[in-house]
Amino acid sequence: MYRSGFPKTLRYNSDLLIVLYLLLKLKNVKAVAAQLHLTPPAVSQKLSRLREIFNDPLLVRSKKGMILTTLSEVLLPSLESIVLKIENFYNISEYYNNTIIPLKREYVLSVNADTHFYEDIGFLDACVQESGGDLDVSFSILLRDDNSIHDLLSAKLDFYFGNVNVLEDNLTRIKVSDLEYSFAVGKHHPLAGKKIKLSSIDELNEFKYIALLSLPEKLEEKYNDVFGREPFRPFIKIQSIRTIADFLNRSDYFSFLTVCSINKLGLSRVYVGTESIFLQQYLYWHKNMENDSFHRYLRNSFIETLSKKDV
């Protein structure tokens, strides 16, 4: 019965998938051999078998070394997910006995540049110390919103803090905070601290608008709901929130930022109308990470910390 149900799974050695994953990640036969404690000829032999199975070269030589074929580019995200699921399966017992063991050496977080909790690097260090202290892990923090959901699905990201319109089936999310947004100017701007009627919002058009390059996708929708108009057309978009703050403090530009950023960076608000824009902030992760005890410990720490502080 199983033979007819899973013919290729039974016919081929599933260990080959681990070899293929390492080959596509490392693009070096000797490096893969060292990882698997095999000889390079043994890995080359397995690569030949994989090429035969997939009817594709998988890796080809170039002046810059080995590169992936088009098929390999398609296979790699799925392979990453499969390997992670296998690793999770072997760690199921740790899920039940509360042992904290990272499944990865590096965890990657993506946040919008207009939030500030990531600046507290000591928080991540505290997470490692409190979970055992001798864990061999590191972190990368990306300040962007674009492509974050795609990267979560393809296992390039471990956490994403933001707000998107559609929740993919393989992802989980939980609310961690509410971000309030407001128009922002430098302390010496003529509109600093002023209140403007909603009907007079176009007064801001007398000044140039500078925008953060990557903003939450739902922010424009909220903006339209509150102000009844499209956002101002930016004179310039900038990636760095601190560079925007520097521009605002040295010019009569204005921007639209979180109140947290306005307060932390020494800027002033311009109050328009009587309503404020609040955008819910969620923590997203892939369901494949459910059995990673360290990932679980991190996200619980994030949720607890962010629910208590202004981000």
Side-chain angles (χ1 to χ4, degrees):
M1 181 178 67
Y2 291 104
R3 182 172 297 277
S4 61
F6 307 100
K8 291 187 177 180
T9 304
L10 293 172
R11 186 189 315 162
Y12 304 133
N13 183 349
S14 294
D15 287 349
L16 287 172
L17 293 179
I18 305 299
V19 177
L20 178 58
Y21 170 70
L22 290 173
L23 282 167
L24 299 188
K25 290 292 285 186
L26 301 178
K27 303 173 191 173
N28 186 293
V29 169
K30 289 184 179 179
V32 173
Q35 283 261 15
L36 297 175
H37 304 288
L38 298 172
T39 63
V43 174
S44 294
Q45 187 176 14
K46 292 179 184 294
L47 176 56
S48 297
R49 177 62 176 143
L50 286 162
R51 285 168 167 165
E52 178 184 321
I53 292 170
F54 288 99
N55 192 30
D56 187 87
L58 300 174
L59 285 169
V60 293
R61 295 190 182 280
S62 72
K63 292 181 180 179
K64 296 182 180 180
M66 301 290 277
I67 59 173
L68 305 188
T69 64
T70 301
L71 178 61
S72 291
E73 295 280 4
V74 173
L75 291 175
L76 184 54
S78 296
L79 270 173
E80 198 127 30
S81 178
I82 290 168
V83 171
L84 186 57
K85 285 181 179 178
I86 293 171
E87 188 71 17
N88 281 341
F89 183 81
Y90 286 124
N91 283 281
I92 285 177
S93 63
E94 291 158 12
Y95 180 87
Y96 292 101
N97 64 24
N98 295 321
T99 303
I100 298 177
I101 298 179
L103 297 187
K104 307 174 69 173
R105 296 193 64 179
E106 181 184 50
Y107 288 81
V108 184
L109 298 74
S110 177
V111 302
N112 187 269
D114 200 8
T115 57
H116 294 268
F117 83 91
Y118 66 86
E119 294 179 344
D120 184 10
I121 302 301
F123 167 69
L124 292 174
D125 183 53
C127 285
V128 173
Q129 298 302 320
E130 291 171 9
S131 63
D134 57 351
L135 303 180
D136 183 20
V137 294
S138 60
F139 301 93
S140 290
I141 300 176
L142 310 178
L143 304 185
R144 61 175 174 78
D145 261 342
D146 55 306
N147 295 322
S148 291
I149 293 298
H150 176 270
D151 287 347
L152 269 180
L153 291 169
S154 60
K156 293 178 182 178
L157 277 181
D158 299 296
F159 298 98
Y160 165 55
F161 295 85
N163 188 315
V164 295
N165 289 322
V166 179
L167 181 64
E168 299 285 346
D169 290 341
N170 291 328
L171 300 182
T172 300
R173 77 174 185 180
I174 188 167
K175 181 184 170 184
V176 290
S177 65
D178 286 299
L179 296 179
E180 183 181 5
Y181 283 80
S182 176
F183 290 102
V185 294
K187 289 287 188 183
H188 304 294
H189 194 284
L191 295 180
K194 297 289 181 67
K195 293 183 179 180
I196 299 175
K197 292 181 179 179
L198 186 58
S199 58
S200 302
I201 189 174
D202 284 334
E203 285 184 31
L204 287 167
N205 272 326
E206 296 178 25
F207 309 98
K208 291 179 180 177
Y209 175 51
I210 181 170
L212 195 63
L213 185 61
S214 178
L215 286 171
E217 61 180 69
K218 292 196 74 171
L219 187 59
E220 183 172 334
E221 178 184 321
K222 290 271 189 177
Y223 189 106
N224 288 337
D225 288 344
V226 173
F227 298 122
R229 55 160 292 158
E230 295 289 323
F232 289 95
R233 184 168 177 265
F235 171 70
I236 187 172
K237 293 182 179 182
I238 295 179
Q239 178 68 46
S240 166
I241 186 72
R242 294 190 178 277
T243 302
I244 289 178
D246 184 54
F247 264 91
L248 296 182
N249 280 321
R250 292 188 293 107
S251 70
D252 59 1
Y253 288 17
F254 73 99
S255 190
F256 191 69
L257 307 171
T258 62
V259 172
C260 174
S261 291
I262 294 171
N263 294 335
K264 284 181 178 288
L265 300 175
L267 302 172
S268 292
R269 295 181 64 173
V270 179
Y271 300 87
V272 177
T274 57
E275 290 189 64
S276 293
I277 290 182
F278 286 90
L279 192 64
Q280 293 179 328
Q281 186 86 343
Y282 292 91
L283 171 61
Y284 296 81
W285 67 91
H286 200 292
K287 291 179 180 177
N288 283 347
M289 302 302 294
E290 291 296 341
N291 290 334
D292 182 333
S293 55
F294 184 66
H295 188 283
R296 186 169 64 254
Y297 175 80
L298 276 178
R299 65 178 181 257
N300 288 339
S301 298
F302 289 147
I303 293 165
E304 181 181 1
T305 301
L306 295 177
S307 64
K308 296 178 181 177
K309 66 186 292 188
D310 184 11
V311 295

